[in-house]
Amino acid sequence: MTVEQAFTERMDEGELMNCMRCGFCLPSCPTYIQTGGDEVHSPRGRIAMMKAVHDGLMPLTDEMTNSLDVCLGCRACEPVCPAGVQYGHLLEEARTIIQDYKKPSVKEKVVRRTVLNELFPKNEQMNRAVGLVRFYQTSGLQKGVRKIGFLKLFPESMREMEKVLPAIPKRTRTDRKRLLATGEKKATVAFFQGCLMDTMFQETNQNTIRLLQSAGCDIVIPDGQGCCGALHGHAGEKEKAIEMAKRNIEAFEGMEADYIVLNAGGCGAYLAGYDHLLSQDMEWRERAARFKARIRDFSSILIQHGFDERIRFKKRQHRVTYQDSCHLRNGMGVHHEPRQLIQMVEGADYVEMKNADGCCGSAGVYNLVQPEMSMQILDDKMKNVKEAAPGVIVTANPGCLLQMKLGIERAGLSGLVEAVHLADYLNND
């Protein structure tokens, strides 16, 4: 079978037909805007190319493959689409087909095997990798490397990311798998720890748990959970994503909990899409639907359970804005709740930033594999930050957080603006 025949057999013809070519998606698409209105880099243009290959009207070309690679997968086109086209599903299936039939270079094989097969799916490997980053930061090696200019040997995008890596805390381990609510119990939630969140951002996880406890939630943390599989699904590694989805469903379905709660927008949107990912398997599709029904972002739980006390921010009076996580907003429909919580903070002068719902250019590892487009998008984002003039930028996803920290560096705002995760911003300890 050829790649074109695979498009015919595997792409959802009904979903391709749903696109009416109305163009409502165009003003929301970052790559369409950044390329000066090039339809090749718009949602309807990409769908038109997918359909042409599906219908046998054109072969798969390098231009089409590049167009799909350049897409951020932010899904900003979905909420504005009057026909409700599930563009994200089409994009991932097209990428999977291309990945199944392409002949990757030796370098790509090594990177995919190392990062997607050996690192993110395996908790112990992630712990070791992040432990090495901590050693680099605390041993004096980082200072030495910077002093001698060794980082100049690496691409600019990697040098910039090295600057904004968070200080990795010492790994703390606990055998406690159930934590009790503070005060009156209102719900029981199962906490999804994630991979990066449980290693590089473990303090954010701890702050999230404390907030949930203060909102009246008993918390259970199931064994056996792991990476959500989003990076794999977005990169065309569908079978690996399915494997990780089944692992997480099994880990959580035995938990007697009202909700499955997490604090990373990218993970949440992917977890909530497990029913589609497993739609071809009758047994797992039903289990995934039950799993999906319990997925909630922690901000939604805090609002739902009346977390309306005034929060005293421990640092200073400040002006604050919020940068949406694309997948939290477009994939999970959560955008009011974080803003409500920020505005509860005593001393917070909240200002809505222009285009706060527009992508920051992070998109998983997009800023590493498509650095030029990513930085164009980020630099435009920082113009809006300067206009809003906040002292604090709050976001709700680890990739967005690192990207905004990078934007602060690039815009010369270090020391004037800080970027923080919502859970860390709200924590009052």
Side-chain angles (χ1 to χ4, degrees):
M1 181 184 296
T2 66
V3 66
E4 289 81 9
Q5 290 171 329
F7 262 76
T8 301
E9 287 198 6
R10 292 164 53 177
M11 293 298 295
D12 187 334
E13 183 176 13
E15 201 66 66
L16 290 171
M17 290 290 292
N18 281 342
C19 178
M20 303 182 297
R21 314 291 191 264
C22 65
F24 278 37
C25 58
L26 302 183
S28 300
C29 178
T31 55
Y32 176 79
I33 294 168
Q34 290 296 329
T35 57
D38 186 349
E39 283 280 5
V40 169
H41 293 295
S42 73
R44 73 175 179 184
R46 292 179 174 115
I47 291 174
M49 288 189 290
M50 292 180 206
K51 189 173 186 303
V53 177
H54 171 276
D55 293 347
L57 299 178
M58 66 176 285
L60 180 71
T61 64
D62 290 341
E63 181 182 33
M64 177 183 177
T65 301
N66 178 64
S67 173
L68 297 178
D69 288 342
V70 171
C71 180
L72 292 130
C74 67
R75 297 170 61 182
C77 50
E78 292 184 13
V80 298
C81 177
V85 175
Q86 296 296 298
Y87 172 80
H89 294 161
L90 291 172
L91 175 67
E92 289 188 3
E93 189 60 35
R95 284 177 170 173
T96 298
I97 294 170
I98 292 170
Q99 185 60 34
D100 287 347
Y101 283 85
K102 71 183 291 190
K103 293 182 179 179
S105 65
V106 173
K107 179 181 177 182
E108 183 180 351
K109 283 183 179 179
V110 171
V111 170
R112 283 179 175 269
R113 185 181 303 116
T114 302
V115 176
L116 297 181
N117 292 343
E118 297 299 326
L119 183 59
F120 282 94
K122 300 180 180 179
N123 294 349
E124 287 304 314
Q125 296 284 58
M126 279 293 295
N127 288 333
R128 290 192 191 99
V130 173
L132 289 175
V133 175
R134 183 176 187 275
F135 175 78
Y136 170 72
Q137 292 176 333
T138 61
S139 65
L141 183 60
Q142 185 179 50
K143 290 182 179 179
V145 165
R146 289 178 174 180
K147 187 174 182 179
I148 65 175
F150 181 70
L151 290 172
K152 292 180 180 179
L153 299 175
F154 293 88
E156 182 182 4
S157 59
M158 294 187 67
R159 296 199 304 270
E160 290 182 328
M161 288 305 297
E162 190 270 349
K163 292 180 183 178
V164 300
L165 286 175
I168 309 298
K170 185 176 181 180
R171 178 72 176 168
T172 57
R173 296 183 179 276
T174 177
D175 293 327
R176 297 178 66 189
K177 296 300 179 184
R178 188 178 185 96
L179 302 102
L180 300 180
T182 303
E184 178 189 358
K185 176 188 171 183
K186 298 180 180 178
T188 299
V189 303
F191 186 62
F192 181 80
Q193 299 176 104
C195 47
L196 274 182
M197 295 306 299
D198 191 42
T199 50
M200 190 172 290
F201 298 96
Q202 59 177 303
E203 287 187 352
T204 303
N205 269 2
Q206 291 165 6
N207 286 337
T208 304
I209 287 171
R210 282 192 282 267
L211 289 165
L212 289 167
Q213 287 178 288
S214 69
C217 296
D218 280 1
I219 298 165
V220 292
I221 305 175
D223 290 321
Q225 61 173 299
C227 175
C228 68
L231 288 179
H232 303 76
H234 300 332
E237 299 281 353
K238 186 175 181 179
E239 290 305 312
K240 194 67 180 179
I242 288 173
E243 177 186 321
M244 286 184 283
K246 290 180 177 179
R247 170 185 172 180
N248 285 321
I249 291 170
E250 286 183 328
F252 280 89
E253 63 186 354
M255 296 288 104
E256 294 185 1
D258 301 297
Y259 309 105
I260 299 169
V261 179
L262 68 161
N263 56 12
C267 298
Y270 204 72
L271 293 172
Y274 277 0
D275 58 335
H276 176 79
L277 182 65
L278 296 165
S279 61
Q280 301 304 309
D281 186 316
M282 182 61 70
E283 176 195 351
W284 282 98
R285 180 174 63 190
E286 294 175 358
R287 294 167 72 176
R290 292 193 292 270
F291 178 89
K292 173 183 180 175
R294 293 194 291 166
I295 296 294
R296 299 289 189 280
D297 185 71
F298 84 102
S299 64
S300 298
I301 295 297
L302 296 184
I303 293 295
Q304 180 178 337
H305 290 290
F307 191 73
D308 56 3
E309 61 189 83
R310 299 292 289 178
I311 307 163
R312 184 174 298 280
F313 190 62
K314 60 187 178 183
K315 292 185 178 180
R316 62 186 183 279
Q317 297 287 318
H318 59 282
R319 186 176 173 91
V320 58
T321 194
Y322 178 69
Q323 165 62 30
D324 282 285
S325 155
C326 291
H327 286 94
L328 182 61
R329 184 182 183 105
N330 304 323
M332 296 185 71
V334 175
H335 49 96
H336 294 304
E337 294 91 328
R339 289 170 169 82
Q340 287 178 259
L341 290 166
I342 293 169
Q343 293 177 71
M344 291 177 190
V345 175
E346 186 174 342
D349 175 18
Y350 180 78
V351 56
E352 182 72 12
M353 178 173 60
K354 179 182 177 183
N355 195 34
D357 58 347
C359 187
C360 65
S362 172
V365 295
Y366 185 91
N367 51 6
L368 297 178
V369 298
Q370 298 285 344
E372 183 177 351
M373 180 63 74
S374 176
M375 292 305 102
Q376 287 179 25
I377 293 168
L378 177 59
D379 289 344
D380 277 356
K381 175 68 63 177
M382 296 313 297
K383 293 175 185 176
N384 296 330
V385 170
K386 288 182 176 180
E387 183 178 330
V392 181
I393 305 169
V394 178
T395 189
N397 190 62
C400 303
L401 177 59
L402 291 177
Q403 186 81 339
M404 295 312 296
K405 286 179 178 289
L406 177 56
I408 290 169
E409 287 282 337
R410 289 174 63 88
L413 297 175
S414 298
L416 301 175
V417 184
E418 63 176 324
V420 298
H421 189 282
L422 179 62
D424 299 323
Y425 179 77
L426 296 175
N427 184 61
N428 196 31
D429 286 353

